[in-house]
Structures are given as C-alpha cells and as structure tokens.
Amino acid sequence: MTQRPRRLRKNPIIREMVAETRLAKDMFIYPYFVVEGTGVVHPIDAMPGINHFSVDQLIKDIEKGLKHGINKVLLFGVGEEKTQDASSSFSNNSVVVKAVKALKDKFGDSLYVITDVCVCAYTTHGHCGILHDDYVHNDESVEVLAKMALAHAQAGADMVAPSDMMDGRISAMRNLMDKNGYENTAIMSYSIKYASAYYGPFREAADSAPQKGDRKSYQMDFRNGNESMTEGLLDEVEGADVLMVKPALAYMDVIFNLRQNTLLPIACYNVSGEYSMVKAAAAKGWIDEQKIVMENMYAFARAGANLIITYHTKDILEKGWI
Ligand code: PBG
Ligand code: ZN
C-alpha cells in the first residue's frame, strides 16, 4: 500500500495539524429581534434561547456578549405599525433606528451593527414589498426599500442587509446612500434567498408571515441551482460588498458554487428552522447539541462561507465551543 490516509489521523496533534478548515470567533454574526418598550426580554416560543428585547435590555445583553467576542449583530425590528405602503419601515423613529442610535452611542466602533432591510414586518399583508392586485410590484418596492436602507444608514448602521429579493434593489440602495453621503455604509445582500419552509419559526419571531399567498414570486425556487449564480453575480455587479446564501444547511452546494464564482466574501444564514430543529432534538436528548452545532458550522466554512449568521452564536462563543 503506498497510500495510508489513516496515518494523518493517528492522534489529535496530527489531526489538528492537517485540519483543512478553521473557524474563528470573528466569523459569527448574532441576530436580535428588537421591540418597543422598556424592560422587555420576552422568549420566542419556537426559538428556544432567543428573545424579543426592548432597546434598554438589548444594550445589556450585547454588553455581556461583547465580553465573549460577540461584536457583530444583525437587527430585526418587530411590532411596528403595519400599513399597506410600509411607511413605518423608513421612519426615522422606527425601533430599529432607535436601537442603532442607542447601540452606536453606547458602544461606538467596538460593535458592528447590521440591519435587516425588508418591509414584511411593516406591511398589513406581510409581503416583502408593495402589493398591487396580489402581486408584489418590483420597482415601487425597491424605492421603499432604498429609503429604509438610507434611514438605517443615517441612524449609524455599519452595514445594511436587504432580505427582500426584489430585482435591482442593491444598485438603488447603493445610489441613494451614496447620494446622501453614506458611501461607507456597506451592503450585505441576501443575494440567494430561497422560498423556504425553514423560515417558519422566524415568522413567529418577526410577526412577518404573509397573510395571503406565499413568497415564491420573489424568493427563489429550491429546485434551481444555476439561477442562484445569476442572483449572486447581479448583486456583485450592483455593488454588494458581501453576498449571502440563505438558508444554509440544505444549500451547501449553492455556497460551494458561489465560492467558485465570486471573489467577494460569502455569508450564509443558518436560519430559524435549522436552529430550532437542533434545539428541539437536543432538548429531547436525541443528539449532542454542541457536537451537532459545531459539525454544522465547520460544514458551512468547508463549503466556502466566510461569515456565519447563526442563532447558535451565543452558545458557541459564550460556552467556548471554539
Ligand atoms: C424577512 C426575513 C426572513 C428571514 C430573514 N429576513 C423571513 C422570510 O423571508 O420569510 C428568515 C430568517 C430566519 O428564518 O431565521 N424578509
Ligand atoms: Zn421580508
């Protein structure tokens, strides 16, 4: 035998030495759901360990997290006024805007603040754009989304993350932010976002389920792989700084394929349903939570993800899993 691959697996030292994939604390982004009020820390049933926070409590939680290296957060606003035209989404007084200002005030550059940009939590119908005759109107939605991104940039967000899947929204946001002097606000695009049942628990958390119909006329069909590269490369051309694949676990091929086709950093979003499945099985004692979580994280990195957005971030960093 000339090749004995087991030689390189002989003991922990050699295994560590030849490990192809490394994870770093810097790769993790932690999502937060922000609500109005004070003193609110309200658990989200379908996502064990995840809460709704009012801004004052959010600050306290982030203060704790920062000690463990959780220094990148992704904010979702919940519970705003819902209208047909999503006008509360680009208000300069939205809960996200207030949260961004408070966080930047308190933590400055030691915290990197990313905001989700989408109107589904701000519309009566729960769609990610402006609805006309049961169809989400692309260009009208893009105008609103760009205004929302600008409002977040003005509040001090370091990065905006559009999750709507309208065509042309990255260039619209880039242009509007640049025109207003926010050329240094970065864009992480949810470039390749599939219409997925894995978002189930999130829709409870964000109160953003469509009242009628589904999101298939804007989010991608999970049968399509080639099309995902069209989406990714369009966003690159339009000026996105980071491209994202979402969900992550069932879409490793897409992460891998994107890695071969772009030089930009790639983020993957380990979404609510993926998180809750692990939590539920772990609570039953059917799986080893730490081992399963870390196997998933290494798999994302092996597939080509540079950044990982995950609700497991707190466990991973605070419990010293890496
Ligand atoms: C809203 C949005 C969703 C998620 C992030 N932003 C849900 C959806 O598109 O229905 C999903 C996040 C998760 O499931 O963790 N556009
Ligand atoms: Zn949406």
Side-chain angles (χ1 to χ4, degrees):
M1 248 190 279
T2 53
Q3 292 290 329
R4 284 184 185 270
R6 288 188 56 195
R7 276 184 208 122
L8 298 182
R9 298 177 204 144
K10 193 170 158 235
N11 67 33
I13 292 182
I14 185 77
R15 289 197 293 272
E16 281 303 311
M17 189 176 82
V18 299
E20 295 172 28
T21 309
R22 314 274 173 178
L23 287 174
K25 289 184 173 189
D26 304 298
M27 298 166 70
F28 292 88
I29 299 172
Y30 191 47
Y32 274 106
F33 299 97
V34 194
V35 297
E36 290 284 354
T38 49
V40 182
V41 182
H42 182 255
I44 297 163
D45 272 353
M47 300 177 70
I50 305 297
N51 300 289
H52 286 125
F53 286 101
S54 53
V55 175
D56 58 319
Q57 298 300 312
L58 177 72
I59 289 175
K60 284 191 191 165
D61 204 71
I62 289 179
E63 204 159 26
K64 271 189 266 163
L66 275 171
K67 297 196 177 94
H68 301 276
I70 305 172
N71 62 2
K72 289 165 291 296
V73 296
L74 172 60
L75 304 182
F76 293 91
V78 186
E80 296 284 0
E81 188 199 356
K82 294 177 191 286
T83 58
Q84 192 74 18
D85 63 357
S87 48
S88 61
S89 66
F90 53 87
S91 155
N92 287 317
N93 206 24
S94 70
V95 69
V96 171
V97 164
K98 285 188 274 194
V100 172
K101 285 182 178 162
L103 292 176
K104 279 284 139 188
D105 230 38
K106 171 89 183 166
F107 302 112
D109 275 344
S110 55
L111 182 73
Y112 196 84
V113 178
I114 312 169
T115 59
D116 185 86
V117 175
C118 192
V119 298
C120 50
Y122 302 82
T123 50
T124 42
H125 44 74
H127 279 285
C128 303
I130 306 304
L131 208 57
H132 285 299
D133 300 324
D134 287 345
Y135 186 74
V136 174
H137 192 283
N138 192 84
D139 299 9
E140 216 177 291
S141 305
V142 166
E143 269 181 51
V144 173
L145 289 157
K147 284 197 256 181
M148 185 175 182
L150 178 61
H152 294 179
Q154 286 167 333
D158 296 293
M159 178 182 260
V160 293
S163 66
D164 52 281
M165 286 300 279
M166 297 303 124
D167 295 334
R169 86 261 211 228
I170 302 302
S171 58
M173 277 171 203
R174 191 66 277 159
N175 286 336
L176 189 64
M177 290 198 296
D178 286 3
K179 225 174 16 191
N180 285 275
Y182 295 95
E183 68 278 357
N184 289 325
T185 307
I187 301 178
M188 172 166 64
S189 176
Y190 289 68
S191 302
I192 305 175
K193 178 174 176 182
Y194 285 90
S196 169
Y198 283 103
Y199 308 148
F202 174 93
R203 290 183 189 168
E204 178 203 318
D207 184 23
S208 67
Q211 297 304 301
K212 193 175 154 195
D214 53 39
R215 302 207 199 288
K216 289 183 181 168
S217 81
Y218 41 102
Q219 297 180 350
M220 280 189 55
D221 186 326
F222 53 68
R223 294 171 295 186
N224 295 352
N226 293 332
E227 187 191 357
S228 67
M229 294 306 110
T230 306
E231 285 286 3
L233 298 179
L234 270 173
D235 285 356
E236 175 164 349
V237 171
E238 289 182 35
D241 301 287
V242 178
L243 305 179
M244 190 205 298
V245 176
K246 177 182 174 199
L249 271 181
Y251 299 85
M252 299 278 196
D253 56 322
V254 177
I255 299 172
F256 183 81
N257 195 9
L258 187 61
R259 183 68 290 158
Q260 318 309 309
N261 283 287
T262 183
L263 296 175
L264 289 180
I266 296 174
C268 70
Y269 198 142
N270 179 214
V271 300
S272 57
E274 299 171 342
Y275 171 81
S276 298
M277 288 194 307
V278 170
K279 282 287 181 185
K284 290 265 192 190
W286 291 342
I287 55 168
D288 180 320
E289 181 175 354
Q290 177 178 351
K291 286 187 176 150
I292 290 266
V293 167
M294 294 318 293
E295 189 170 332
N296 287 347
M297 299 304 136
Y298 276 103
F300 299 145
R302 191 186 65 234
N306 309 99
L307 318 171
I308 302 171
I309 302 166
T310 180
Y311 303 98
H312 295 293
T313 297
K314 213 181 220 178
D315 286 329
I316 296 170
L317 270 66
E318 288 190 355
K319 295 179 182 167
W321 292 356
I322 49 172

